[in-house]
Amino acid sequence: MDGKPGPSEERDETGLEAAPVASRERSSDPARPERYGPLDVTRMRKEDGRALIVYSRTERTERTESAESADVPREHQRPGPA
Amino acid sequence: MSELRFNELRGEPVAYAIHRQDRTFLPDRAHCPLDPTRPGEPPTEIPLESFEIVVFDNRFPAFEAPAGAAEVVVYTDDHDASLASLPIERVEALMWVWRHRYQELGAREDVEYVYIFENRGVEVGVTLHHPHGQIYGYPFLPPVPALELAADARLGRCAPCVLLARERADGRRLLFENDAVSAYVPEAARWPYEAHLAMRVHRPSLTDCEPRELRLLAEALLALVRGYDALFERPLPYVMAVHQAPTCAGSPDGHLHVEFYPPLRTAEKLKYLAGSEQGAGTFIGDVLPEEAAEGLREAIERAR
Ligand SMILES: [Zn+2]
Ligand SMILES: [Zn+2]
Ligand SMILES: [Zn+2]
């Protein structure tokens, strides 16, 4: 089970691992969105500490263009060793 | 809390999610936990007044860190929508969400297989009608993907590639195709109206797909589920299973495809898993896949 590249070190941030319960403020004040393909990705934490990810497609009008020029780097292709 | 045991007689793991008995069961319309949170009202699972797609950790997980994951994917804030009623842009966005979750969960050391699925309809045990799917990150390779890898070994190369080529050569069970995806009823379907959507080019997972292929996959998904609802002129219950390459070390191959198992034989009659299916593992059907494909093709045309 070793040798997995990719964003596993972000585990704490995703909240998918046991993490301290976020404050009430945190859940109503999400971090700045990341970009993934045509989507804005905003990570939040529910009051009980569970992770919540909000996906939105803000520029709805440029949908095809934004999908075509998706800023997904090649090294972010499939997980698992090459 | 969940507990994993190994069933020696069948050679397969069984998971016990012991709190699941208390989970929300078909709450009334005004108390849907997947609705947006309305101002001045108690928060639902989603503390936002509106949203497009959200993913959150299942409150009653069958798997959780450090031994897997269980997530809920809510497709829309519209309680009365369904996958079939969503606009293509939303379904395309959903493909990107699936891709993102596959990538992120698959990178975790404790996730060997990322399984995206949807249960639709009370007939398959749905407890919430709000349009949503789920993702399990299994801390082991589950039996069905393991069988598909065994099929690769038996056929000497990628089984979905081989089967897709056979279906295209035969043609009788093909439902439709676009530039990236073929839809067909498999030659030996287990469910009466089972259908598979397969990427025509060998793509192990969503992360190997070009943006245009994700769009075309979304179009194919919509065409199929709209056709399903037209088949018996009622919302058709189904289990939707997205199969991709496992994410365990040693990285076995895979071929992205989506399987649908609707449990209905007719508008009213359910196909039950009974003696032969459960005790012997052999499905007995009463609709030939060629006939099912014909009916389904017409329904898909009507729904377009
Ligand atoms: Zn709802
Ligand atoms: Zn293949
Ligand atoms: Zn499959």
Side-chain angles (χ1 to χ4, degrees):
Chain A
M1 282 218 269
D2 51 10
K4 281 192 187 192
S8 55
E9 62 281 358
E10 287 175 14
R11 225 178 288 174
D12 289 337
E13 209 177 299
T14 63
L16 295 168
E17 186 140 272
V21 174
S23 69
R24 195 174 285 260
E25 291 73 39
R26 173 89 190 273
S27 66
S28 58
D29 180 25
R32 207 159 48 83
E34 306 153 32
R35 194 78 186 157
Y36 186 80
L39 304 177
D40 278 338
V41 182
T42 307
R43 297 175 195 272
M44 300 170 69
R45 200 62 68 84
K46 290 152 79 82
E47 287 183 20
D48 62 7
R50 283 181 292 143
L52 173 82
I53 311 176
V54 183
Y55 294 91
S56 53
R57 190 169 187 157
T58 36
E59 302 98 328
R60 289 160 202 253
T61 46
E62 52 141 29
R63 51 181 175 71
T64 311
E65 294 72 37
S66 65
E68 293 300 338
S69 64
D71 57 345
V72 181
R74 277 315 278 188
E75 67 268 24
H76 276 188
Q77 295 283 315
R78 81 181 266 221
Chain B
M1 284 294 290
S2 68
E3 186 177 330
L4 196 61
R5 296 188 183 177
F6 191 73
N7 183 317
E8 285 291 355
L9 197 57
R10 299 195 53 124
E12 65 191 24
V14 179
Y16 300 88
I18 17 241
H19 37 210
R20 281 174 69 89
Q21 295 308 330
D22 312 321
R23 73 195 159 144
T24 320
F25 185 77
L26 289 177
D28 62 63
R29 178 68 187 80
H31 297 95
C32 173
L34 306 186
D35 272 5
T37 296
R38 323 240 177 248
E41 286 183 29
T44 65
E45 284 276 27
I46 302 134
L48 301 165
E49 286 180 34
S50 70
F51 60 85
E52 291 174 31
I53 299 174
V54 298
V55 172
F56 59 85
D57 290 342
N58 198 315
R59 191 148 69 100
F60 306 104
F63 302 100
E64 58 192 317
E71 298 184 340
V72 176
V73 184
V74 185
Y75 302 161
T76 167
D77 60 7
D78 178 2
H79 182 89
D80 298 311
S82 70
L83 183 57
S85 76
L86 296 177
I88 178 65
E89 288 72 24
R90 180 62 58 86
V91 182
E92 183 186 22
L94 182 63
M95 300 302 100
W96 283 92
V97 171
W98 286 358
R99 185 188 203 268
H100 186 246
R101 300 322 300 145
Y102 176 83
Q103 191 171 316
E104 224 168 70
L105 293 174
R108 279 172 48 176
E109 296 290 341
D110 62 334
V111 174
E112 307 269 280
Y113 192 81
V114 179
Y115 175 50
I116 298 164
F117 64 100
E118 180 187 338
N119 298 327
R120 187 201 193 193
V122 289
E123 293 86 347
V124 296
V126 162
T127 52
L128 295 171
H129 285 312
H130 196 111
H132 73 288
Q134 298 185 63
I135 305 177
Y136 280 0
Y138 291 87
F140 54 85
L141 181 67
V144 170
L147 282 171
E148 295 194 346
L149 292 178
D152 291 352
R154 197 170 61 243
L155 293 168
R157 61 191 197 94
C158 171
C161 277
V162 171
L163 298 173
L164 183 60
R166 283 188 196 165
E167 292 297 348
R168 298 189 80 207
D170 183 313
R172 286 175 298 163
R173 291 170 300 274
L174 267 187
L175 297 172
F176 60 87
E177 295 193 308
N178 63 28
D179 286 341
V181 180
S182 295
Y184 59 88
V185 177
E187 182 184 13
R190 302 160 98 219
W191 298 92
Y193 290 94
E194 179 173 339
H196 295 194
L197 298 175
M199 302 308 292
R200 210 146 53 246
V201 174
H202 182 81
R203 300 288 190 217
S205 76
L206 289 157
T207 57
D208 300 295
C209 292
E210 303 293 336
R212 58 171 283 277
E213 291 177 307
L214 296 179
R215 168 81 178 195
L216 288 162
L217 178 59
E219 285 178 10
L221 276 166
L222 264 186
L224 181 59
V225 294
R226 287 175 179 170
Y228 269 151
D229 285 353
L231 182 65
F232 299 130
E233 284 164 353
R234 56 162 287 187
L236 195 78
Y238 58 71
V239 170
M240 175 187 71
V242 181
H243 287 154
Q244 307 184 69
T247 55
C248 47
S251 202
D253 206 5
H255 181 135
L256 169 61
H257 61 280
V258 186
E259 305 190 12
F260 284 83
Y261 320 129
L264 289 186
R265 297 154 57 210
T266 68
E268 322 273 84
K269 283 196 192 119
L270 276 171
K271 155 90 187 147
Y272 288 102
L273 296 191
S276 184
E277 289 83 1
Q278 291 196 47
T282 297
F283 273 67
I284 312 286
D286 58 6
V287 182
L288 272 178
E290 293 73 35
E291 295 164 18
E294 204 177 314
L296 205 42
R297 249 192 320 262
E298 286 166 13
I300 291 164
E301 271 314 306
R302 281 203 302 279
R304 272 191 201 274

